[in-house]
mmCIF file of all heavy atoms in Angstrom:
data_model
loop_
_atom_site.group_PDB
_atom_site.id
_atom_site.type_symbol
_atom_site.label_atom_id
_atom_site.label_comp_id
_atom_site.label_asym_id
_atom_site.label_seq_id
_atom_site.Cartn_x
_atom_site.Cartn_y
_atom_site.Cartn_z
ATOM 1 N N GLU A 1 3.674 -7.498 7.676
ATOM 2 C CA GLU A 1 3.182 -7.381 9.065
ATOM 3 C C GLU A 1 2.275 -6.145 9.124
ATOM 4 O O GLU A 1 2.453 -5.171 8.416
ATOM 5 C CB GLU A 1 4.415 -7.237 10.004
ATOM 6 C CG GLU A 1 4.201 -7.406 11.422
ATOM 7 C CD GLU A 1 3.884 -6.106 12.120
ATOM 8 O OE1 GLU A 1 4.029 -5.004 11.493
ATOM 9 O OE2 GLU A 1 3.369 -6.166 13.213
ATOM 10 N N PRO A 2 1.232 -6.192 9.995
ATOM 11 C CA PRO A 2 0.265 -5.102 10.020
ATOM 12 C C PRO A 2 0.812 -3.688 10.176
ATOM 13 O O PRO A 2 0.397 -2.794 9.547
ATOM 14 C CB PRO A 2 -0.645 -5.482 11.215
ATOM 15 C CG PRO A 2 -0.579 -6.956 11.301
ATOM 16 C CD PRO A 2 0.857 -7.328 10.929
ATOM 17 N N THR A 3 1.816 -3.564 11.091
ATOM 18 C CA THR A 3 2.422 -2.228 11.227
ATOM 19 C C THR A 3 3.157 -1.802 9.999
ATOM 20 O O THR A 3 3.127 -0.656 9.641
ATOM 21 C CB THR A 3 3.410 -2.280 12.440
ATOM 22 O OG1 THR A 3 2.731 -2.741 13.605
ATOM 23 C CG2 THR A 3 3.988 -0.899 12.701
ATOM 24 N N MET A 4 3.820 -2.747 9.328
ATOM 25 C CA MET A 4 4.486 -2.428 8.045
ATOM 26 C C MET A 4 3.475 -2.083 6.990
ATOM 27 O O MET A 4 3.771 -1.094 6.224
ATOM 28 C CB MET A 4 5.333 -3.619 7.635
ATOM 29 C CG MET A 4 6.176 -3.363 6.392
ATOM 30 S SD MET A 4 7.425 -2.123 6.653
ATOM 31 C CE MET A 4 8.637 -3.085 7.576
ATOM 32 N N LEU A 5 2.351 -2.694 6.945
ATOM 33 C CA LEU A 5 1.369 -2.391 5.994
ATOM 34 C C LEU A 5 0.825 -0.977 6.168
ATOM 35 O O LEU A 5 0.740 -0.213 5.205
ATOM 36 C CB LEU A 5 0.188 -3.399 6.030
ATOM 37 C CG LEU A 5 -0.965 -3.144 5.078
ATOM 38 C CD1 LEU A 5 -0.547 -3.310 3.589
ATOM 39 C CD2 LEU A 5 -2.132 -4.121 5.416
ATOM 40 N N GLU A 6 0.569 -0.599 7.384
ATOM 41 C CA GLU A 6 0.061 0.713 7.690
ATOM 42 C C GLU A 6 1.142 1.749 7.339
ATOM 43 O O GLU A 6 0.879 2.808 6.778
ATOM 44 C CB GLU A 6 -0.355 0.837 9.159
ATOM 45 C CG GLU A 6 -0.907 2.182 9.477
ATOM 46 C CD GLU A 6 -1.596 2.237 10.825
ATOM 47 O OE1 GLU A 6 -1.707 1.187 11.487
ATOM 48 O OE2 GLU A 6 -1.995 3.352 11.246
ATOM 49 N N ARG A 7 2.416 1.442 7.709
ATOM 50 C CA ARG A 7 3.488 2.373 7.433
ATOM 51 C C ARG A 7 3.628 2.623 5.888
ATOM 52 O O ARG A 7 3.808 3.736 5.517
ATOM 53 C CB ARG A 7 4.784 1.742 7.974
ATOM 54 C CG ARG A 7 6.037 2.638 7.714
ATOM 55 C CD ARG A 7 7.272 1.949 8.250
ATOM 56 N NE ARG A 7 7.257 1.846 9.719
ATOM 57 C CZ ARG A 7 7.411 0.742 10.410
ATOM 58 N NH1 ARG A 7 7.539 -0.408 9.792
ATOM 59 N NH2 ARG A 7 7.383 0.720 11.731
ATOM 60 N N TYR A 8 3.541 1.524 5.143
ATOM 61 C CA TYR A 8 3.675 1.653 3.721
ATOM 62 C C TYR A 8 2.528 2.525 3.146
ATOM 63 O O TYR A 8 2.825 3.457 2.360
ATOM 64 C CB TYR A 8 3.659 0.299 3.042
ATOM 65 C CG TYR A 8 3.439 0.392 1.544
ATOM 66 C CD1 TYR A 8 4.305 1.078 0.728
ATOM 67 C CD2 TYR A 8 2.342 -0.193 0.932
ATOM 68 C CE1 TYR A 8 4.136 1.206 -0.639
ATOM 69 C CE2 TYR A 8 2.082 -0.117 -0.403
ATOM 70 C CZ TYR A 8 2.997 0.602 -1.201
ATOM 71 O OH TYR A 8 2.806 0.766 -2.585
ATOM 72 N N ILE A 9 1.292 2.265 3.520
ATOM 73 C CA ILE A 9 0.175 3.003 2.981
ATOM 74 C C ILE A 9 0.289 4.469 3.335
ATOM 75 O O ILE A 9 0.089 5.349 2.473
ATOM 76 C CB ILE A 9 -1.184 2.371 3.474
ATOM 77 C CG1 ILE A 9 -1.374 1.001 2.814
ATOM 78 C CG2 ILE A 9 -2.361 3.313 3.114
ATOM 79 C CD1 ILE A 9 -2.529 0.218 3.384
ATOM 80 N N ARG A 10 0.616 4.743 4.597
ATOM 81 C CA ARG A 10 0.730 6.128 5.012
ATOM 82 C C ARG A 10 1.877 6.797 4.259
ATOM 83 O O ARG A 10 1.649 7.948 3.704
ATOM 84 C CB ARG A 10 1.075 6.192 6.557
ATOM 85 C CG ARG A 10 1.336 7.613 7.040
ATOM 86 C CD ARG A 10 1.665 7.615 8.545
ATOM 87 N NE ARG A 10 2.780 6.803 8.889
ATOM 88 C CZ ARG A 10 4.080 7.137 8.769
ATOM 89 N NH1 ARG A 10 4.374 8.340 8.253
ATOM 90 N NH2 ARG A 10 5.053 6.329 9.110
ATOM 91 N N GLN A 11 3.040 6.210 4.137
ATOM 92 C CA GLN A 11 4.144 6.864 3.461
ATOM 93 C C GLN A 11 3.893 7.027 1.964
ATOM 94 O O GLN A 11 4.231 8.113 1.368
ATOM 95 C CB GLN A 11 5.426 6.046 3.654
ATOM 96 C CG GLN A 11 6.017 6.078 5.049
ATOM 97 C CD GLN A 11 7.351 5.404 5.056
ATOM 98 O OE1 GLN A 11 8.020 5.201 4.088
ATOM 99 N NE2 GLN A 11 7.819 5.045 6.293
ATOM 100 N N TYR A 12 3.247 6.094 1.363
ATOM 101 C CA TYR A 12 2.982 6.179 -0.067
ATOM 102 C C TYR A 12 2.004 7.357 -0.369
ATOM 103 O O TYR A 12 2.228 8.099 -1.300
ATOM 104 C CB TYR A 12 2.421 4.869 -0.574
ATOM 105 C CG TYR A 12 2.335 4.737 -2.048
ATOM 106 C CD1 TYR A 12 3.483 4.794 -2.843
ATOM 107 C CD2 TYR A 12 1.102 4.522 -2.714
ATOM 108 C CE1 TYR A 12 3.406 4.656 -4.221
ATOM 109 C CE2 TYR A 12 1.035 4.306 -4.082
ATOM 110 C CZ TYR A 12 2.166 4.448 -4.848
ATOM 111 O OH TYR A 12 2.145 4.280 -6.215
ATOM 112 N N ILE A 13 1.013 7.491 0.493
ATOM 113 C CA ILE A 13 0.076 8.600 0.298
ATOM 114 C C ILE A 13 0.796 9.912 0.537
ATOM 115 O O ILE A 13 0.678 10.889 -0.243
ATOM 116 C CB ILE A 13 -1.177 8.425 1.272
ATOM 117 C CG1 ILE A 13 -1.988 7.260 0.805
ATOM 118 C CG2 ILE A 13 -1.998 9.749 1.269
ATOM 119 C CD1 ILE A 13 -3.104 6.914 1.734
ATOM 120 N N GLU A 14 1.621 10.002 1.587
ATOM 121 C CA GLU A 14 2.349 11.230 1.960
ATOM 122 C C GLU A 14 3.245 11.698 0.856
ATOM 123 O O GLU A 14 3.467 12.903 0.684
ATOM 124 C CB GLU A 14 3.131 11.011 3.190
ATOM 125 C CG GLU A 14 2.332 10.917 4.472
ATOM 126 C CD GLU A 14 3.202 10.567 5.730
ATOM 127 O OE1 GLU A 14 4.332 10.147 5.493
ATOM 128 O OE2 GLU A 14 2.696 10.785 6.855
ATOM 129 N N ALA A 15 3.844 10.760 0.090
ATOM 130 C CA ALA A 15 4.870 11.097 -0.915
ATOM 131 C C ALA A 15 4.292 11.540 -2.247
ATOM 132 O O ALA A 15 5.010 12.056 -3.071
ATOM 133 C CB ALA A 15 5.791 9.915 -1.126
ATOM 134 N N GLN A 16 2.948 11.355 -2.455
ATOM 135 C CA GLN A 16 2.385 11.648 -3.738
ATOM 136 C C GLN A 16 1.748 13.020 -3.756
ATOM 137 O O GLN A 16 1.261 13.465 -2.744
ATOM 138 C CB GLN A 16 1.244 10.627 -4.026
ATOM 139 C CG GLN A 16 1.717 9.181 -3.999
ATOM 140 C CD GLN A 16 2.393 8.724 -5.299
ATOM 141 O OE1 GLN A 16 2.264 9.393 -6.303
ATOM 142 N NE2 GLN A 16 3.140 7.599 -5.180
ATOM 143 N N ASN A 17 1.805 13.663 -4.879
ATOM 144 C CA ASN A 17 1.217 15.030 -5.014
ATOM 145 C C ASN A 17 0.090 15.073 -6.031
ATOM 146 O O ASN A 17 -0.467 16.138 -6.336
ATOM 147 C CB ASN A 17 2.265 16.115 -5.339
ATOM 148 C CG ASN A 17 2.906 15.858 -6.703
ATOM 149 O OD1 ASN A 17 2.591 14.921 -7.413
ATOM 150 N ND2 ASN A 17 3.776 16.775 -7.061
ATOM 151 N N GLY A 18 -0.327 13.942 -6.587
ATOM 152 C CA GLY A 18 -1.408 13.954 -7.543
ATOM 153 C C GLY A 18 -2.783 13.865 -6.845
ATOM 154 O O GLY A 18 -2.829 13.526 -5.675
ATOM 155 N N ASN A 19 -3.796 14.068 -7.572
ATOM 156 C CA ASN A 19 -5.163 14.012 -7.052
ATOM 157 C C ASN A 19 -5.589 12.532 -6.759
ATOM 158 O O ASN A 19 -6.421 12.282 -5.941
ATOM 159 C CB ASN A 19 -6.198 14.676 -7.956
ATOM 160 C CG ASN A 19 -6.008 16.172 -8.013
ATOM 161 O OD1 ASN A 19 -5.599 16.770 -7.044
ATOM 162 N ND2 ASN A 19 -6.295 16.759 -9.169
ATOM 163 N N GLU A 20 -4.974 11.615 -7.536
ATOM 164 C CA GLU A 20 -5.238 10.214 -7.384
ATOM 165 C C GLU A 20 -4.001 9.473 -6.940
ATOM 166 O O GLU A 20 -2.923 9.669 -7.513
ATOM 167 C CB GLU A 20 -5.769 9.610 -8.730
ATOM 168 C CG GLU A 20 -6.211 8.201 -8.596
ATOM 169 C CD GLU A 20 -6.761 7.700 -9.918
ATOM 170 O OE1 GLU A 20 -6.039 7.685 -10.911
ATOM 171 O OE2 GLU A 20 -7.918 7.264 -9.953
ATOM 172 N N VAL A 21 -4.143 8.608 -5.943
ATOM 173 C CA VAL A 21 -3.014 7.771 -5.489
ATOM 174 C C VAL A 21 -3.328 6.313 -5.876
ATOM 175 O O VAL A 21 -4.386 5.784 -5.418
ATOM 176 C CB VAL A 21 -2.850 7.902 -3.971
ATOM 177 C CG1 VAL A 21 -1.658 7.084 -3.513
ATOM 178 C CG2 VAL A 21 -2.660 9.355 -3.518
ATOM 179 N N ILE A 22 -2.481 5.725 -6.687
ATOM 180 C CA ILE A 22 -2.790 4.420 -7.195
ATOM 181 C C ILE A 22 -1.911 3.385 -6.502
ATOM 182 O O ILE A 22 -0.671 3.445 -6.564
ATOM 183 C CB ILE A 22 -2.530 4.334 -8.726
ATOM 184 C CG1 ILE A 22 -3.391 5.349 -9.420
ATOM 185 C CG2 ILE A 22 -2.744 2.919 -9.223
ATOM 186 C CD1 ILE A 22 -3.132 5.442 -10.927
ATOM 187 N N PHE A 23 -2.574 2.402 -5.880
ATOM 188 C CA PHE A 23 -1.870 1.347 -5.206
ATOM 189 C C PHE A 23 -1.939 0.112 -6.071
ATOM 190 O O PHE A 23 -3.024 -0.223 -6.583
ATOM 191 C CB PHE A 23 -2.519 1.039 -3.829
ATOM 192 C CG PHE A 23 -2.171 1.962 -2.726
ATOM 193 C CD1 PHE A 23 -2.892 3.140 -2.571
ATOM 194 C CD2 PHE A 23 -1.142 1.722 -1.871
ATOM 195 C CE1 PHE A 23 -2.604 4.055 -1.553
ATOM 196 C CE2 PHE A 23 -0.833 2.627 -0.826
ATOM 197 C CZ PHE A 23 -1.572 3.755 -0.695
ATOM 198 N N SER A 24 -0.839 -0.584 -6.232
ATOM 199 C CA SER A 24 -0.778 -1.813 -7.008
ATOM 200 C C SER A 24 -0.315 -2.967 -6.127
ATOM 201 O O SER A 24 0.716 -2.870 -5.457
ATOM 202 C CB SER A 24 0.188 -1.669 -8.208
ATOM 203 O OG SER A 24 -0.287 -0.676 -9.093
ATOM 204 N N TRP A 25 -1.049 -4.061 -6.179
ATOM 205 C CA TRP A 25 -0.802 -5.214 -5.277
ATOM 206 C C TRP A 25 -0.508 -6.453 -6.161
ATOM 207 O O TRP A 25 -1.268 -6.817 -7.035
ATOM 208 C CB TRP A 25 -1.980 -5.483 -4.374
ATOM 209 C CG TRP A 25 -2.421 -4.240 -3.595
ATOM 210 C CD1 TRP A 25 -3.426 -3.378 -3.908
ATOM 211 C CD2 TRP A 25 -1.836 -3.754 -2.412
ATOM 212 N NE1 TRP A 25 -3.538 -2.364 -2.995
ATOM 213 C CE2 TRP A 25 -2.529 -2.540 -2.049
ATOM 214 C CE3 TRP A 25 -0.738 -4.107 -1.604
ATOM 215 C CZ2 TRP A 25 -2.205 -1.756 -0.956
ATOM 216 C CZ3 TRP A 25 -0.429 -3.379 -0.516
ATOM 217 C CH2 TRP A 25 -1.089 -2.218 -0.189
ATOM 218 N N GLN A 26 0.668 -7.080 -5.919
ATOM 219 C CA GLN A 26 1.101 -8.128 -6.700
ATOM 220 C C GLN A 26 1.793 -9.195 -5.798
ATOM 221 O O GLN A 26 1.767 -9.115 -4.633
ATOM 222 C CB GLN A 26 2.012 -7.627 -7.834
ATOM 223 C CG GLN A 26 2.165 -8.619 -9.006
ATOM 224 C CD GLN A 26 3.046 -8.081 -10.057
ATOM 225 O OE1 GLN A 26 4.257 -7.813 -9.812
ATOM 226 N NE2 GLN A 26 2.604 -7.960 -11.283
ATOM 227 N N GLY A 27 2.402 -10.150 -6.405
ATOM 228 C CA GLY A 27 3.147 -11.153 -5.643
ATOM 229 C C GLY A 27 4.204 -11.788 -6.540
ATOM 230 O O GLY A 27 4.749 -11.093 -7.401
ATOM 231 N N GLY A 28 4.378 -13.101 -6.377
ATOM 232 C CA GLY A 28 3.489 -14.094 -5.783
ATOM 233 C C GLY A 28 2.012 -13.933 -6.219
ATOM 234 O O GLY A 28 1.731 -13.333 -7.227
ATOM 235 N N GLU A 29 1.209 -14.554 -5.402
ATOM 236 C CA GLU A 29 -0.220 -14.497 -5.644
ATOM 237 C C GLU A 29 -0.890 -13.787 -4.433
ATOM 238 O O GLU A 29 -1.069 -14.362 -3.366
ATOM 239 C CB GLU A 29 -0.855 -15.889 -5.787
ATOM 240 C CG GLU A 29 -2.323 -15.902 -5.977
ATOM 241 C CD GLU A 29 -2.852 -14.890 -6.978
ATOM 242 O OE1 GLU A 29 -2.257 -14.786 -8.066
ATOM 243 O OE2 GLU A 29 -3.856 -14.210 -6.648
ATOM 244 N N PRO A 30 -1.300 -12.480 -4.625
ATOM 245 C CA PRO A 30 -1.772 -11.723 -3.490
ATOM 246 C C PRO A 30 -3.104 -12.179 -2.897
ATOM 247 O O PRO A 30 -3.379 -11.927 -1.753
ATOM 248 C CB PRO A 30 -1.889 -10.317 -4.043
ATOM 249 C CG PRO A 30 -2.004 -10.487 -5.536
ATOM 250 C CD PRO A 30 -1.157 -11.708 -5.816
ATOM 251 N N THR A 31 -3.903 -12.940 -3.682
ATOM 252 C CA THR A 31 -5.199 -13.390 -3.091
ATOM 253 C C THR A 31 -4.956 -14.429 -2.020
ATOM 254 O O THR A 31 -5.861 -14.701 -1.205
ATOM 255 C CB THR A 31 -6.096 -13.940 -4.219
ATOM 256 O OG1 THR A 31 -5.462 -15.026 -4.867
ATOM 257 C CG2 THR A 31 -6.476 -12.867 -5.197
ATOM 258 N N MET A 32 -3.770 -15.027 -1.942
ATOM 259 C CA MET A 32 -3.493 -15.969 -0.897
ATOM 260 C C MET A 32 -3.440 -15.303 0.482
ATOM 261 O O MET A 32 -3.521 -15.939 1.515
ATOM 262 C CB MET A 32 -2.120 -16.683 -1.133
ATOM 263 C CG MET A 32 -2.167 -17.671 -2.302
ATOM 264 S SD MET A 32 -0.609 -18.494 -2.499
ATOM 265 C CE MET A 32 -0.593 -19.574 -1.096
ATOM 266 N N LEU A 33 -3.381 -13.997 0.504
ATOM 267 C CA LEU A 33 -3.407 -13.264 1.749
ATOM 268 C C LEU A 33 -4.794 -13.282 2.407
ATOM 269 O O LEU A 33 -4.899 -13.022 3.626
ATOM 270 C CB LEU A 33 -2.966 -11.754 1.514
ATOM 271 C CG LEU A 33 -1.510 -11.532 1.198
ATOM 272 C CD1 LEU A 33 -1.332 -10.202 0.498
ATOM 273 C CD2 LEU A 33 -0.659 -11.613 2.417
ATOM 274 N N GLY A 34 -5.817 -13.512 1.632
ATOM 275 C CA GLY A 34 -7.139 -13.567 2.164
ATOM 276 C C GLY A 34 -7.860 -12.229 2.131
ATOM 277 O O GLY A 34 -7.228 -11.163 2.107
ATOM 278 N N LEU A 35 -9.183 -12.255 2.187
ATOM 279 C CA LEU A 35 -9.945 -11.057 2.108
ATOM 280 C C LEU A 35 -9.772 -10.106 3.284
ATOM 281 O O LEU A 35 -9.779 -8.880 3.106
ATOM 282 C CB LEU A 35 -11.477 -11.399 1.965
ATOM 283 C CG LEU A 35 -12.012 -11.472 0.567
ATOM 284 C CD1 LEU A 35 -13.481 -11.961 0.599
ATOM 285 C CD2 LEU A 35 -11.948 -10.121 -0.127
#
């Protein structure tokens, strides 16, 4: 859900202390979510 997506991205960035934050998207098949 959109609010959950924003919550996840915000929390994941907040919790990291490296210069680079790496997001990994998987599934299932994530391209079914659409562009």
Side-chain angles (χ1 to χ4, degrees):
E1 195 269 347
T3 305
M4 184 64 77
L5 178 64
E6 181 168 356
R7 179 182 292 123
Y8 166 60
I9 292 172
R10 174 181 59 81
Q11 289 189 16
Y12 192 59
I13 292 173
E14 288 176 344
Q16 304 280 341
N17 65 359
N19 292 328
E20 183 178 60
V21 182
I22 301 174
F23 283 86
S24 296
W25 307 98
Q26 200 181 58
E29 176 48 45
T31 58
M32 291 183 71
L33 290 160
L35 265 175

